[in-house]
Amino acid sequence: MQSPLFSHTEQQSQDRYTVQNPQLLRVALTGHDDVLARKGAMVAYQGLMEFDGEYQSQGQRRARRDTGEGLDLMRCSGQGTVYLANLAQYIHMVDVDHEGMTVDSAYVLALDSSLHTEVIAVDSQYGISGTGKYQLNISGTGKVALMTSGQPLMMQVTPDKYVNADADAIVAWSSGLRVQMQAQTHSTGIARRRGNTGEGWELSFLGQGFALVQPSEVLPPQSAQIGQGAAAQFGVGQHGARSQNQNNAWN
């Protein structure tokens, strides 16, 4: 049998993580250090591998229930190679150091088990209790595999050049940045988008670091649980903005 398909062979590498192609991640395990991956992200593996649901503490379960933010992970262990992917999204490796990284959990494909994650909130400029965007703060030293819908844009933030990004397009940013959620509107109905521009909630970044933006404002269908209460009503991304936009379209 002959086909150009046979050119898509396994990448040979001694690295733990290898981007097999822009939409497929190869992870080599030696039996010592496990890797945490998004549940259901395994598409193939070789060797003696085990996949177990990752335990969530009571605090993690509570944060997920209250905010809709968090990671549903499986622990990959053993000796061999596992291939991970999700909805053919583009994959990017990031080294996390002492600076830390804040990310929307919908865009995390895999991470080193040594890293620590914590749900944080980004407050809106209006000071309304319960509003804002919940995100995941990743700290420690290790690697994270992020996903984007399309090829992303990395924007540098400096003290004399701040960055604004659509809250539905932002993927990740340096944890040390000062962040404020705002709506470009002059009306009192802040839950509604202004006029007919289709633009609404934004995140403003100040300080020194980076902001990673994808060329899409639509999150992938992750079957994520939607937050309840005010966070769902006023939130953004997977926490309410998309449904809010749809509701506005009918009003």
Side-chain angles (χ1 to χ4, degrees), residues 148-203:
T148 62
S149 296
Q151 293 286 12
L153 171 66
M154 179 68 79
M155 304 187 71
Q156 294 294 325
V157 183
T158 63
D160 59 349
K161 187 178 73 173
Y162 61 87
V163 170
N164 291 326
D166 189 295
D168 289 330
I170 191 72
V171 174
W173 65 82
S174 303
S175 294
L177 291 174
R178 300 192 306 277
V179 188
Q180 185 178 61
M181 181 176 156
Q182 57 191 17
Q184 294 295 338
T185 178
H186 298 288
S187 69
T188 55
I190 62 172
R192 302 173 61 87
R193 289 182 175 248
R194 57 176 173 137
N196 60 358
T197 67
E199 300 298 339
W201 290 108
E202 298 176 355
L203 293 183

Tab-separated table of all heavy atoms in Angstrom, residues 148-203:
chain	number	residue	atom	x	y	z
A	148	THR	N	-4.879	26.561	21.047
A	148	THR	CA	-5.545	27.737	20.522
A	148	THR	C	-6.347	27.357	19.291
A	148	THR	O	-6.006	26.403	18.582
A	148	THR	CB	-4.557	28.859	20.136
A	148	THR	OG1	-3.680	28.382	19.100
A	148	THR	CG2	-3.744	29.314	21.334
A	149	SER	N	-7.407	28.107	19.036
A	149	SER	CA	-8.174	27.953	17.802
A	149	SER	C	-7.519	28.837	16.750
A	149	SER	O	-7.744	30.040	16.705
A	149	SER	CB	-9.634	28.352	18.029
A	149	SER	OG	-10.259	27.498	18.964
A	150	GLY	N	-6.654	28.267	15.924
A	150	GLY	CA	-5.869	29.029	14.971
A	150	GLY	C	-4.526	29.421	15.560
A	150	GLY	O	-4.256	29.195	16.738
A	151	GLN	N	-3.675	30.023	14.737
A	151	GLN	CA	-2.355	30.447	15.190
A	151	GLN	C	-2.491	31.720	16.018
A	151	GLN	O	-3.116	32.683	15.567
A	151	GLN	CB	-1.427	30.694	13.991
A	151	GLN	CG	-1.089	29.432	13.214
A	151	GLN	CD	-0.099	28.529	13.965
A	151	GLN	OE1	0.170	28.718	15.143
A	151	GLN	NE2	0.435	27.554	13.271
A	152	PRO	N	-1.890	31.776	17.203
A	152	PRO	CA	-2.126	32.882	18.134
A	152	PRO	C	-1.222	34.082	17.888
A	152	PRO	O	-0.325	34.058	17.038
A	152	PRO	CB	-1.811	32.248	19.485
A	152	PRO	CG	-0.723	31.270	19.161
A	152	PRO	CD	-1.041	30.735	17.796
A	153	LEU	N	-1.486	35.122	18.655
A	153	LEU	CA	-0.675	36.335	18.658
A	153	LEU	C	-0.143	36.541	20.069
A	153	LEU	O	-0.924	36.594	21.026
A	153	LEU	CB	-1.522	37.546	18.247
A	153	LEU	CG	-0.886	38.932	18.400
A	153	LEU	CD1	0.294	39.080	17.437
A	153	LEU	CD2	-1.926	40.028	18.169
A	154	MET	N	1.199	36.651	20.196
A	154	MET	CA	1.814	36.927	21.490
A	154	MET	C	2.087	38.428	21.584
A	154	MET	O	2.864	38.975	20.798
A	154	MET	CB	3.116	36.148	21.642
A	154	MET	CG	3.822	36.401	22.974
A	154	MET	SD	2.906	35.728	24.386
A	154	MET	CE	3.373	33.982	24.264
A	155	MET	N	1.463	39.080	22.527
A	155	MET	CA	1.586	40.526	22.680
A	155	MET	C	2.406	40.849	23.923
A	155	MET	O	2.118	40.343	25.015
A	155	MET	CB	0.208	41.188	22.761
A	155	MET	CG	-0.691	40.871	21.575
A	155	MET	SD	-2.233	41.824	21.572
A	155	MET	CE	-1.599	43.465	21.176
A	156	GLN	N	3.428	41.676	23.741
A	156	GLN	CA	4.263	42.093	24.853
A	156	GLN	C	3.609	43.266	25.584
A	156	GLN	O	3.143	44.210	24.962
A	156	GLN	CB	5.649	42.494	24.347
A	156	GLN	CG	6.448	41.342	23.769
A	156	GLN	CD	6.808	40.297	24.818
A	156	GLN	OE1	7.072	40.631	25.977
A	156	GLN	NE2	6.823	39.038	24.416
A	157	VAL	N	3.590	43.169	26.907
A	157	VAL	CA	3.061	44.243	27.746
A	157	VAL	C	4.234	44.885	28.471
A	157	VAL	O	5.043	44.190	29.088
A	157	VAL	CB	2.036	43.706	28.766
A	157	VAL	CG1	1.433	44.854	29.574
A	157	VAL	CG2	0.942	42.909	28.064
A	158	THR	N	4.337	46.207	28.373
A	158	THR	CA	5.400	46.947	29.053
A	158	THR	C	4.774	48.082	29.851
A	158	THR	O	3.607	48.447	29.618
A	158	THR	CB	6.415	47.517	28.046
A	158	THR	OG1	5.754	48.462	27.191
A	158	THR	CG2	7.022	46.408	27.195
A	159	PRO	N	5.520	48.674	30.802
A	159	PRO	CA	4.955	49.768	31.598
A	159	PRO	C	4.461	50.943	30.763
A	159	PRO	O	3.537	51.656	31.182
A	159	PRO	CB	6.129	50.182	32.497
A	159	PRO	CG	6.937	48.928	32.632
A	159	PRO	CD	6.840	48.252	31.304
A	160	ASP	N	5.038	51.152	29.575
A	160	ASP	CA	4.603	52.269	28.740
A	160	ASP	C	3.735	51.825	27.560
A	160	ASP	O	3.403	52.627	26.688
A	160	ASP	CB	5.810	53.059	28.225
A	160	ASP	CG	6.769	52.195	27.415
A	160	ASP	OD1	6.584	50.958	27.436
A	160	ASP	OD2	7.673	52.750	26.787
A	161	LYS	N	3.385	50.533	27.498
A	161	LYS	CA	2.499	50.047	26.436
A	161	LYS	C	1.614	48.943	26.988
A	161	LYS	O	2.002	47.784	27.034
A	161	LYS	CB	3.316	49.536	25.254
A	161	LYS	CG	2.433	49.185	24.036
A	161	LYS	CD	3.263	48.729	22.842
A	161	LYS	CE	3.821	47.342	23.041
A	161	LYS	NZ	4.488	46.815	21.817
A	162	TYR	N	0.419	49.325	27.425
A	162	TYR	CA	-0.495	48.319	27.950
A	162	TYR	C	-1.287	47.708	26.803
A	162	TYR	O	-1.308	48.212	25.677
A	162	TYR	CB	-1.428	48.912	29.009
A	162	TYR	CG	-2.327	50.033	28.520
A	162	TYR	CD1	-3.565	49.747	27.952
A	162	TYR	CD2	-1.957	51.370	28.650
A	162	TYR	CE1	-4.399	50.747	27.503
A	162	TYR	CE2	-2.774	52.383	28.212
A	162	TYR	CZ	-4.004	52.069	27.636
A	162	TYR	OH	-4.812	53.064	27.194
A	163	VAL	N	-1.948	46.599	27.074
A	163	VAL	CA	-2.658	45.833	26.049
A	163	VAL	C	-4.086	45.586	26.497
A	163	VAL	O	-4.332	45.243	27.661
A	163	VAL	CB	-1.950	44.483	25.788
A	163	VAL	CG1	-2.813	43.577	24.920
A	163	VAL	CG2	-0.589	44.710	25.132
A	164	ASN	N	-5.034	45.764	25.581
A	164	ASN	CA	-6.425	45.380	25.797
A	164	ASN	C	-6.752	44.205	24.885
A	164	ASN	O	-6.316	44.181	23.721
A	164	ASN	CB	-7.384	46.537	25.496
A	164	ASN	CG	-7.271	47.651	26.510
A	164	ASN	OD1	-7.018	47.409	27.691
A	164	ASN	ND2	-7.449	48.882	26.062
A	165	ALA	N	-7.494	43.250	25.381
A	165	ALA	CA	-7.856	42.079	24.584
A	165	ALA	C	-9.302	41.704	24.847
A	165	ALA	O	-9.802	41.865	25.969
A	165	ALA	CB	-6.944	40.899	24.913
A	166	ASP	N	-9.971	41.234	23.809
A	166	ASP	CA	-11.327	40.724	23.962
A	166	ASP	C	-11.300	39.560	24.944
A	166	ASP	O	-10.473	38.648	24.825
A	166	ASP	CB	-11.873	40.266	22.608
A	166	ASP	CG	-13.356	39.929	22.669
A	166	ASP	OD1	-13.711	38.962	23.378
A	166	ASP	OD2	-14.151	40.601	22.005
A	167	ALA	N	-12.190	39.590	25.911
A	167	ALA	CA	-12.174	38.575	26.966
A	167	ALA	C	-12.502	37.184	26.437
A	167	ALA	O	-12.179	36.187	27.090
A	167	ALA	CB	-13.160	38.956	28.074
A	168	ASP	N	-13.121	37.088	25.258
A	168	ASP	CA	-13.406	35.785	24.669
A	168	ASP	C	-12.271	35.282	23.800
A	168	ASP	O	-12.310	34.156	23.323
A	168	ASP	CB	-14.686	35.846	23.835
A	168	ASP	CG	-15.929	35.987	24.700
A	168	ASP	OD1	-15.897	35.494	25.842
A	168	ASP	OD2	-16.912	36.587	24.229
A	169	ALA	N	-11.252	36.123	23.537
A	169	ALA	CA	-10.132	35.727	22.687
A	169	ALA	C	-8.853	35.501	23.480
A	169	ALA	O	-7.938	34.842	22.991
A	169	ALA	CB	-9.883	36.794	21.616
A	170	ILE	N	-8.778	36.015	24.704
A	170	ILE	CA	-7.554	35.870	25.499
A	170	ILE	C	-7.384	34.421	25.931
A	170	ILE	O	-8.343	33.742	26.306
A	170	ILE	CB	-7.588	36.806	26.729
A	170	ILE	CG1	-6.223	36.873	27.399
A	170	ILE	CG2	-8.680	36.405	27.703
A	170	ILE	CD1	-5.196	37.631	26.636
A	171	VAL	N	-6.152	33.927	25.848
A	171	VAL	CA	-5.845	32.546	26.223
A	171	VAL	C	-5.062	32.489	27.528
A	171	VAL	O	-5.399	31.728	28.436
A	171	VAL	CB	-5.045	31.849	25.103
A	171	VAL	CG1	-4.587	30.460	25.540
A	171	VAL	CG2	-5.876	31.755	23.837
A	172	ALA	N	-4.009	33.317	27.645
A	172	ALA	CA	-3.147	33.267	28.832
A	172	ALA	C	-2.390	34.579	28.944
A	172	ALA	O	-2.280	35.345	27.982
A	172	ALA	CB	-2.172	32.095	28.741
A	173	TRP	N	-1.839	34.813	30.162
A	173	TRP	CA	-1.002	35.996	30.363
A	173	TRP	C	-0.095	35.782	31.567
A	173	TRP	O	-0.293	34.858	32.360
A	173	TRP	CB	-1.856	37.253	30.552
A	173	TRP	CG	-2.710	37.286	31.788
A	173	TRP	CD1	-2.332	37.624	33.066
A	173	TRP	CD2	-4.115	36.972	31.883
A	173	TRP	NE1	-3.393	37.547	33.934
A	173	TRP	CE2	-4.502	37.161	33.232
A	173	TRP	CE3	-5.077	36.572	30.949
A	173	TRP	CZ2	-5.798	36.942	33.665
A	173	TRP	CZ3	-6.372	36.356	31.391
A	173	TRP	CH2	-6.720	36.546	32.725
A	174	SER	N	0.926	36.630	31.677
A	174	SER	CA	1.852	36.564	32.817
A	174	SER	C	1.103	36.883	34.097
A	174	SER	O	0.373	37.886	34.170
A	174	SER	CB	2.997	37.564	32.627
A	174	SER	OG	3.684	37.342	31.423
A	175	SER	N	1.302	36.049	35.124
A	175	SER	CA	0.549	36.232	36.370
A	175	SER	C	0.891	37.534	37.075
A	175	SER	O	0.094	38.050	37.855
A	175	SER	CB	0.811	35.058	37.312
A	175	SER	OG	0.297	33.863	36.776
A	176	GLY	N	2.083	38.104	36.788
A	176	GLY	CA	2.478	39.332	37.458
A	176	GLY	C	1.823	40.580	36.909
A	176	GLY	O	1.972	41.667	37.495
A	177	LEU	N	1.093	40.485	35.809
A	177	LEU	CA	0.447	41.657	35.232
A	177	LEU	C	-0.740	42.112	36.073
A	177	LEU	O	-1.412	41.303	36.717
A	177	LEU	CB	-0.037	41.352	33.816
A	177	LEU	CG	1.036	41.140	32.748
A	177	LEU	CD1	0.395	40.709	31.437
A	177	LEU	CD2	1.865	42.400	32.547
A	178	ARG	N	-1.000	43.413	36.065
A	178	ARG	CA	-2.219	43.949	36.670
A	178	ARG	C	-3.330	43.853	35.620
A	178	ARG	O	-3.166	44.300	34.485
A	178	ARG	CB	-2.028	45.401	37.116
A	178	ARG	CG	-0.919	45.565	38.141
A	178	ARG	CD	-0.953	46.952	38.774
A	178	ARG	NE	-0.935	48.022	37.784
A	178	ARG	CZ	0.167	48.495	37.208
A	178	ARG	NH1	1.343	47.946	37.496
A	178	ARG	NH2	0.099	49.478	36.344
A	179	VAL	N	-4.452	43.271	36.018
A	179	VAL	CA	-5.521	42.986	35.073
A	179	VAL	C	-6.824	43.569	35.578
A	179	VAL	O	-7.153	43.466	36.757
A	179	VAL	CB	-5.689	41.465	34.863
A	179	VAL	CG1	-6.676	41.188	33.741
A	179	VAL	CG2	-4.351	40.808	34.566
A	180	GLN	N	-7.558	44.191	34.667
A	180	GLN	CA	-8.879	44.702	35.002
A	180	GLN	C	-9.841	44.363	33.878
A	180	GLN	O	-9.516	44.501	32.695
A	180	GLN	CB	-8.860	46.211	35.205
A	180	GLN	CG	-10.211	46.763	35.674
A	180	GLN	CD	-10.167	48.258	35.918
A	180	GLN	OE1	-9.901	49.029	35.010
A	180	GLN	NE2	-10.402	48.660	37.152
A	181	MET	N	-11.010	43.907	34.256
A	181	MET	CA	-12.047	43.603	33.289
A	181	MET	C	-12.921	44.832	33.111
A	181	MET	O	-13.292	45.488	34.082
A	181	MET	CB	-12.875	42.422	33.797
A	181	MET	CG	-13.975	41.988	32.868
A	181	MET	SD	-14.767	40.523	33.547
A	181	MET	CE	-16.364	40.654	32.767
A	182	GLN	N	-13.224	45.170	31.850
A	182	GLN	CA	-14.014	46.363	31.599
A	182	GLN	C	-14.901	46.150	30.391
A	182	GLN	O	-14.635	45.300	29.550
A	182	GLN	CB	-13.099	47.569	31.364
A	182	GLN	CG	-12.122	47.378	30.217
A	182	GLN	CD	-11.063	48.459	30.177
A	182	GLN	OE1	-10.846	49.178	31.157
A	182	GLN	NE2	-10.413	48.590	29.031
A	183	ALA	N	-15.967	46.938	30.328
A	183	ALA	CA	-16.874	46.907	29.188
A	183	ALA	C	-16.855	48.277	28.534
A	183	ALA	O	-17.005	49.289	29.200
A	183	ALA	CB	-18.295	46.557	29.624
A	184	GLN	N	-16.626	48.285	27.219
A	184	GLN	CA	-16.584	49.552	26.501
A	184	GLN	C	-18.003	50.027	26.229
A	184	GLN	O	-18.551	49.863	25.153
A	184	GLN	CB	-15.808	49.384	25.192
A	184	GLN	CG	-14.342	49.085	25.386
A	184	GLN	CD	-13.597	50.245	26.040
A	184	GLN	OE1	-14.049	51.386	25.983
A	184	GLN	NE2	-12.469	49.961	26.647
A	185	THR	N	-18.592	50.634	27.231
A	185	THR	CA	-19.958	51.107	27.112
A	185	THR	C	-20.151	52.335	27.971
A	185	THR	O	-19.480	52.514	28.987
A	185	THR	CB	-20.959	50.014	27.539
A	185	THR	OG1	-22.289	50.532	27.445
A	185	THR	CG2	-20.712	49.576	28.982
A	186	HIS	N	-21.045	53.195	27.564
A	186	HIS	CA	-21.371	54.390	28.340
A	186	HIS	C	-22.783	54.323	28.888
A	186	HIS	O	-23.264	55.271	29.488
A	186	HIS	CB	-21.217	55.646	27.467
A	186	HIS	CG	-19.824	55.845	26.974
A	186	HIS	ND1	-18.784	56.232	27.784
A	186	HIS	CD2	-19.296	55.680	25.734
A	186	HIS	CE1	-17.671	56.326	27.074
A	186	HIS	NE2	-17.953	55.982	25.829
A	187	SER	N	-23.450	53.219	28.648
A	187	SER	CA	-24.812	53.072	29.140
A	187	SER	C	-24.796	52.420	30.511
A	187	SER	O	-23.789	51.898	30.976
A	187	SER	CB	-25.638	52.225	28.174
A	187	SER	OG	-25.177	50.881	28.200
A	188	THR	N	-25.936	52.465	31.168
A	188	THR	CA	-26.027	51.843	32.488
A	188	THR	C	-26.260	50.349	32.374
A	188	THR	O	-26.079	49.627	33.335
A	188	THR	CB	-27.187	52.465	33.286
A	188	THR	OG1	-28.400	52.346	32.519
A	188	THR	CG2	-26.910	53.946	33.568
A	189	GLY	N	-26.673	49.891	31.205
A	189	GLY	CA	-26.905	48.449	31.029
A	189	GLY	C	-25.617	47.745	30.707
A	189	GLY	O	-25.387	47.331	29.571
A	190	ILE	N	-24.730	47.577	31.673
A	190	ILE	CA	-23.395	47.050	31.425
A	190	ILE	C	-23.407	45.584	31.037
A	190	ILE	O	-22.409	45.083	30.533
A	190	ILE	CB	-22.489	47.251	32.645
A	190	ILE	CG1	-23.068	46.472	33.839
A	190	ILE	CG2	-22.320	48.710	32.968
A	190	ILE	CD1	-22.129	46.459	35.012
A	191	ALA	N	-24.514	44.876	31.294
A	191	ALA	CA	-24.557	43.467	30.925
A	191	ALA	C	-24.796	43.290	29.426
A	191	ALA	O	-24.663	42.206	28.896
A	191	ALA	CB	-25.658	42.740	31.697
A	192	ARG	N	-25.140	44.384	28.737
A	192	ARG	CA	-25.437	44.307	27.315
A	192	ARG	C	-24.289	44.894	26.507
A	192	ARG	O	-23.618	45.810	26.938
A	192	ARG	CB	-26.721	45.069	26.996
A	192	ARG	CG	-27.944	44.557	27.771
A	192	ARG	CD	-29.132	45.458	27.525
A	192	ARG	NE	-29.488	45.472	26.126
A	192	ARG	CZ	-30.311	44.593	25.551
A	192	ARG	NH1	-30.832	43.635	26.284
A	192	ARG	NH2	-30.600	44.659	24.267
A	193	ARG	N	-24.083	44.380	25.322
A	193	ARG	CA	-23.050	44.915	24.457
A	193	ARG	C	-23.490	46.265	23.913
A	193	ARG	O	-24.671	46.520	23.729
A	193	ARG	CB	-22.746	43.937	23.324
A	193	ARG	CG	-22.015	42.717	23.837
A	193	ARG	CD	-21.666	41.766	22.725
A	193	ARG	NE	-20.862	40.696	23.280
A	193	ARG	CZ	-19.584	40.508	22.999
A	193	ARG	NH1	-18.969	41.333	22.190
A	193	ARG	NH2	-18.916	39.516	23.533
A	194	ARG	N	-22.535	47.133	23.623
A	194	ARG	CA	-22.839	48.494	23.213
A	194	ARG	C	-23.229	48.552	21.740
A	194	ARG	O	-22.615	47.956	20.882
A	194	ARG	CB	-21.617	49.391	23.465
A	194	ARG	CG	-20.360	48.921	22.756
A	194	ARG	CD	-19.255	49.910	22.982
A	194	ARG	NE	-18.005	49.383	22.448
A	194	ARG	CZ	-17.126	50.102	21.750
A	194	ARG	NH1	-17.353	51.356	21.502
A	194	ARG	NH2	-16.021	49.556	21.318
A	195	GLY	N	-24.273	49.324	21.459
A	195	GLY	CA	-24.676	49.571	20.089
A	195	GLY	C	-24.766	48.306	19.267
A	195	GLY	O	-25.231	47.282	19.719
A	196	ASN	N	-24.318	48.405	18.026
A	196	ASN	CA	-24.308	47.237	17.152
A	196	ASN	C	-22.897	46.857	16.738
A	196	ASN	O	-22.683	46.260	15.686
A	196	ASN	CB	-25.167	47.507	15.913
A	196	ASN	CG	-24.649	48.701	15.126
A	196	ASN	OD1	-23.687	49.339	15.519
A	196	ASN	ND2	-25.312	48.994	14.005
A	197	THR	N	-21.883	47.208	17.563
A	197	THR	CA	-20.493	46.889	17.221
A	197	THR	C	-20.157	45.433	17.509
A	197	THR	O	-19.193	44.898	16.961
A	197	THR	CB	-19.514	47.768	18.016
A	197	THR	OG1	-19.595	47.434	19.409
A	197	THR	CG2	-19.824	49.245	17.818
A	198	GLY	N	-20.883	44.800	18.397
A	198	GLY	CA	-20.570	43.425	18.772
A	198	GLY	C	-19.428	43.308	19.747
A	198	GLY	O	-19.019	42.203	20.094
A	199	GLU	N	-18.869	44.441	20.196
A	199	GLU	CA	-17.763	44.410	21.154
A	199	GLU	C	-18.301	44.620	22.563
A	199	GLU	O	-19.218	45.399	22.774
A	199	GLU	CB	-16.725	45.489	20.829
A	199	GLU	CG	-16.107	45.361	19.450
A	199	GLU	CD	-15.343	44.064	19.271
A	199	GLU	OE1	-14.950	43.454	20.280
A	199	GLU	OE2	-15.151	43.647	18.116
A	200	GLY	N	-17.705	43.902	23.513
A	200	GLY	CA	-18.194	43.995	24.878
A	200	GLY	C	-17.088	43.942	25.903
A	200	GLY	O	-16.262	44.831	25.991
A	201	TRP	N	-17.031	42.860	26.670
A	201	TRP	CA	-16.073	42.751	27.760
A	201	TRP	C	-14.641	42.662	27.241
A	201	TRP	O	-14.354	41.960	26.274
A	201	TRP	CB	-16.366	41.516	28.604
A	201	TRP	CG	-17.624	41.626	29.400
A	201	TRP	CD1	-18.804	40.966	29.162
A	201	TRP	CD2	-17.838	42.423	30.558
A	201	TRP	NE1	-19.731	41.325	30.101
A	201	TRP	CE2	-19.174	42.204	30.980
A	201	TRP	CE3	-17.044	43.303	31.287
A	201	TRP	CZ2	-19.726	42.833	32.091
A	201	TRP	CZ3	-17.593	43.931	32.394
A	201	TRP	CH2	-18.909	43.694	32.793
A	202	GLU	N	-13.759	43.391	27.897
A	202	GLU	CA	-12.343	43.374	27.572
A	202	GLU	C	-11.541	43.150	28.842
A	202	GLU	O	-12.001	43.426	29.946
A	202	GLU	CB	-11.897	44.713	26.948
A	202	GLU	CG	-12.571	45.056	25.650
A	202	GLU	CD	-12.160	46.429	25.157
A	202	GLU	OE1	-11.416	47.126	25.907
A	202	GLU	OE2	-12.564	46.814	24.045
A	203	LEU	N	-10.310	42.669	28.665
A	203	LEU	CA	-9.349	42.606	29.756
A	203	LEU	C	-8.218	43.575	29.424
A	203	LEU	O	-7.680	43.561	28.318
A	203	LEU	CB	-8.801	41.196	29.937
A	203	LEU	CG	-9.795	40.138	30.416
A	203	LEU	CD1	-9.094	38.800	30.621
A	203	LEU	CD2	-10.490	40.557	31.702
